[in-house]
Amino acid sequence: MAIGSIDYGGDDKGYLVYIKSSLSSDENDYIRDYARRNDTFPHETTGDQFFSEEQFEVYRALGFHMTHGFLAGDHSVAVGPGTDPRMARFTEAGEKAIDAVRAALGLPEPRRPTVSVTATMIDQG
């Protein structure tokens, strides 16, 4: 997964979220079973545009799984220039491209974890 920024000129800017079908080993049994029976999944040819119902549903399920993992922060995403990308999580604030996509989707900015420090006095008397 990757997020790229698009500069349309002037003040117009956009973002592209690229999600490539891939298996990450944490898919549900339905997806893993289909992959076991179809060795080219999830990179089957699109030359045959007539997917079976099962084939359509397993690609839909994989897309849902990947997108949910991205939005929930389970899977990291590449951001930054193509020659030197950084990995970040959608649920962490502070990455400009991710913050912009989150705002465009109407999602709240995640809260940064707060750290509390407690001092204890030890009487060494």
Side-chain angles (χ1 to χ4, degrees):
M1 294 181 211
I3 296 178
S5 61
I6 303 168
D7 185 352
Y8 292 105
D11 291 335
D12 293 332
K13 196 170 225 179
Y15 293 91
L16 174 72
V17 177
Y18 176 77
I19 302 175
K20 180 174 176 35
S21 295
S22 61
L23 299 172
S24 58
S25 301
D26 63 346
E27 294 81 15
N28 64 31
D29 291 341
Y30 177 66
I31 296 170
R32 287 196 315 250
D33 178 60
Y34 185 86
R36 182 184 53 79
R37 293 181 288 116
N38 298 274
D39 62 341
T40 58
F41 177 78
H43 306 294
E44 295 170 301
T45 179
T46 55
D48 176 7
Q49 294 291 309
F50 298 101
F51 281 14
S52 68
E53 182 177 351
E54 179 188 32
Q55 190 178 24
F56 179 86
E57 282 301 314
V58 77
Y59 273 99
R60 185 204 56 77
L62 178 60
F64 178 87
H65 169 76
M66 293 178 65
T67 304
H68 182 268
F70 163 67
L71 294 174
D74 297 339
H75 302 137
S76 56
V77 59
V79 293
T83 56
D84 189 25
R86 300 174 302 286
M87 299 307 287
R89 297 208 181 265
F90 193 74
T91 52
E92 297 171 356
E95 187 64 55
K96 185 178 176 182
I98 291 176
D99 292 344
V101 170
R102 191 182 307 103
L105 293 173
L107 300 173
E109 183 174 327
R111 295 177 182 239
R112 293 178 185 247
T114 57
V115 177
S116 62
V117 177
T118 305
T120 305
M121 294 288 291
I122 300 175
D123 185 7
Q124 297 180 358

